[in-house]
Amino acid sequence: MEMKKRITEELGGRKPAEVVELLLDSCLSADGELDGLSDDFSALEVLSLCNTGLKSLSKMPSLPKLKRVSNSADVLPTC
C-alpha cells in the first residue's frame, strides 16, 4: 500500500494534530523517502516505519513531541 494512502487510513477521521502514534509498517515507499507525513502531526510521539523500504529521512518533518521511531528491516545510509 502507498504511504500517503496508509496515513489517510490511519487517521481514521482524526486531524493530524490529534495523532499520537502512527504505524506505517510494511507500507512501501515508492522512492525511498517519507511521503505524506507533515508538520501537522505535531502531537506524534511514536512513529513506526518498519519494512517500508526507506533509504532516507531527509523529508522527515519537524515533530517536536516525537519520542520513538522504529525502522527495523530498513537500512538507512550514514552521513
Side-chain angles (χ1 to χ4, degrees):
M1 177 180 295
E2 177 183 299
M3 195 171 283
K4 275 186 179 181
K5 184 177 180 180
R6 177 71 175 274
I7 290 172
T8 300
E9 285 184 8
E10 289 288 323
L11 283 171
R14 297 175 292 172
K15 294 178 182 177
E18 299 171 337
V19 177
V20 175
E21 184 174 9
L22 191 58
L23 307 175
L24 302 176
D25 298 344
S26 300
C27 173
L28 296 178
S29 169
D31 62 357
E33 298 276 352
L34 281 172
D35 190 23
L37 196 62
S38 69
D39 292 335
D40 295 335
F41 287 86
S42 57
L44 194 64
E45 295 180 6
V46 177
L47 177 60
S48 186
L49 299 162
C50 300
N51 199 29
T52 57
L54 284 178
K55 295 178 182 155
S56 171
L57 293 176
S58 65
K59 292 184 180 177
M60 176 73 96
S62 174
L63 303 168
K65 294 190 177 182
L66 191 64
K67 295 177 182 174
R68 187 176 73 211
V69 176
S70 300
N71 75 322
S72 63
D74 293 316
V75 178
L76 296 172
T78 58
C79 296

